[in-house]
Amino acid sequence: MRAAVFDSGVGGLTVAKSLIDHGLFDEIVYYGDTARVPYGPKDKNTIIRYSLEALEFFKNFEPDILITACNSVSAHAIEELRQNASFPVVGVIEPGVVAVRNKIQDPDAHILIIGTRATISSGKYEKLLSAAGFSHLTAKPTPLFVPLVEEEIFDGKILEATMHHYFAGLTPDAVILGCTHFPLIADQIQKYFGPQTILIHSGEAIVEYLTNRYGLAPSRKETRLKLFASENPEKLKKIAAKWLGKNFRYSS
Ligand code: DGL
C-alpha cells in the first residue's frame, strides 16, 4: 500500500515517523510545501488552493490513501480534497479526538488544544470534543512554536519563554498537540505541565485510527520513503534523516 502524506513543511514528518515505526505502508510519498510554509496564518481559501495543488502532484503516484499530516489543512481543506480525490483522504483532527476519547474517561477533564491560528479559528477540535461530551476546553493558538521547530530549536531559553508566554496559569489534564510540528517539542511541553498531563500526538492518533477504522495491519518491516518539497528538498531530506533516525530509508 502506498500513502501520500502532505504537510505545509517538515512537521508532517512526525506523522510519517509514526506510520513508519508501525509499518502501516509499503511506501510513503511525502510532500512538504516548504516554499509556502507556514499555512497557519493563511486564510481558508488559500489553504484550500495550496492543498488542491498538492493533490494534483500526488495523483501522479496513484496513492491508496492521502493523509493530511497538517492540522491547518485538516481543519480547512479536507472536504475539498475528498471531493477531488479518487482515494480516501484522512486528516489528523478526527483521529486526535478519537484518541482523547480513548484515553480520557472524565468528561470534566480540562483539555487544552494548541495549534496554528488557522486550526484554532476553525473551531473543529472544540466542535468534535463537545459532541464527544467534553465541556472544559481551552483552545489557544500557539503559532510561535512553528518557526522554532522549523529552526530546530527543541529546547532552551527561547522555547521556555515561549511556553511561559502561552501557558502561564494553565493546568490542563490533557493537551492536544494540534499541529504536527509540536511533537518535536513534546518533551519540553510535558516537562512544563508535569507527568500527570496527557499529551495527544497526531502521529500516534492516526496510527490507532487507521488500524481500527481502515483495518491496516502493522506488518511491514520497512517502508520506502519518497520525499518531495516545493523548495529546498535537500533540507527536508537532511531533517528527515535526523528525525527519523534508524528508520530513515530514503528512496529516490
Ligand atoms: N504542520 C502544520 C499544522 O499541523 C503547521 C505549520 C504551519 O503553520 O504551516 O497545522
Side-chain angles (χ1 to χ4, degrees), residues 165-202:
H165 170 72
Y166 287 135
F167 299 152
L170 293 170
T171 51
D173 298 302
V175 180
I176 298 186
L177 303 173
C179 171
T180 52
H181 281 63
F182 297 173
L184 273 308
I185 51 168
D187 288 351
Q188 298 304 316
I189 295 176
Q190 187 79 66
K191 214 159 117 191
Y192 184 94
F193 287 118
Q196 73 291 344
T197 299
I198 296 168
L199 299 192
I200 306 288
H201 174 318
S202 295

Side-chain angles (χ1 to χ4, degrees), residues 7-8 11-12 37-41 69-72 116 119 146 178-181:
D7 180 44
S8 57
V37 68
Y39 280 12
C70 175
N71 284 265
S72 309
T116 64
T119 298
V146 176
C179 171
T180 52
H181 281 63

Side-chain angles (χ1 to χ4, degrees), residues 7-66:
D7 180 44
S8 57
V10 300
L13 288 171
T14 61
V15 172
K17 181 175 185 335
S18 298
L19 298 172
I20 294 170
D21 284 349
H22 290 84
L24 290 195
F25 296 103
D26 300 299
E27 183 170 279
I28 290 176
V29 179
Y30 183 97
Y31 172 63
D33 193 2
T34 48
R36 303 191 287 199
V37 68
Y39 280 12
K42 300 194 167 64
D43 72 13
K44 184 176 176 69
N45 288 336
T46 306
I47 295 173
I48 291 173
R49 182 158 53 87
Y50 291 174
S51 301
L52 291 177
E53 284 172 19
L55 175 65
E56 286 312 307
F57 170 78
F58 282 127
K59 281 180 181 170
N60 300 316
F61 295 90
E62 301 181 349
D64 298 295
I65 190 167
L66 167 61

Side-chain angles (χ1 to χ4, degrees), residues 10-172:
V10 300
L13 288 171
T14 61
V15 172
K17 181 175 185 335
S18 298
L19 298 172
I20 294 170
D21 284 349
H22 290 84
L24 290 195
F25 296 103
D26 300 299
E27 183 170 279
I28 290 176
V29 179
Y30 183 97
Y31 172 63
D33 193 2
T34 48
R36 303 191 287 199
V37 68
Y39 280 12
K42 300 194 167 64
D43 72 13
K44 184 176 176 69
N45 288 336
T46 306
I47 295 173
I48 291 173
R49 182 158 53 87
Y50 291 174
S51 301
L52 291 177
E53 284 172 19
L55 175 65
E56 286 312 307
F57 170 78
F58 282 127
K59 281 180 181 170
N60 300 316
F61 295 90
E62 301 181 349
D64 298 295
I65 190 167
L66 167 61
I67 294 165
T68 59
C70 175
N71 284 265
S72 309
V73 170
S74 306
H76 290 289
I78 202 92
E79 291 313 323
E80 289 73 9
L81 286 168
R82 283 182 180 144
Q83 281 158 17
N84 288 281
S86 55
F87 34 82
V89 180
V90 181
V92 281
I93 294 184
E94 206 192 325
V97 172
V98 172
V100 172
R101 281 202 339 243
N102 291 342
K103 287 197 162 81
I104 300 169
Q105 272 71 49
D106 178 6
D108 296 324
H110 179 201
I111 301 172
L112 171 65
I113 306 139
I114 57 172
T116 64
R117 288 201 186 286
T119 298
I120 300 302
S121 70
S122 77
K124 280 253 167 90
Y125 273 110
E126 285 144 292
K127 198 171 148 213
L128 293 176
L129 287 165
S130 300
F134 294 98
S135 55
H136 190 178
L137 308 173
T138 303
K140 207 170 172 65
T142 57
L144 286 174
F145 290 144
V146 176
L148 291 184
V149 168
E150 292 275 332
E151 281 298 316
E152 298 185 66
I153 296 173
F154 304 135
D155 51 25
K157 288 209 161 43
I158 302 176
L159 179 59
E160 277 163 31
T162 311
M163 287 195 294
H164 185 73
H165 170 72
Y166 287 135
F167 299 152
L170 293 170
T171 51

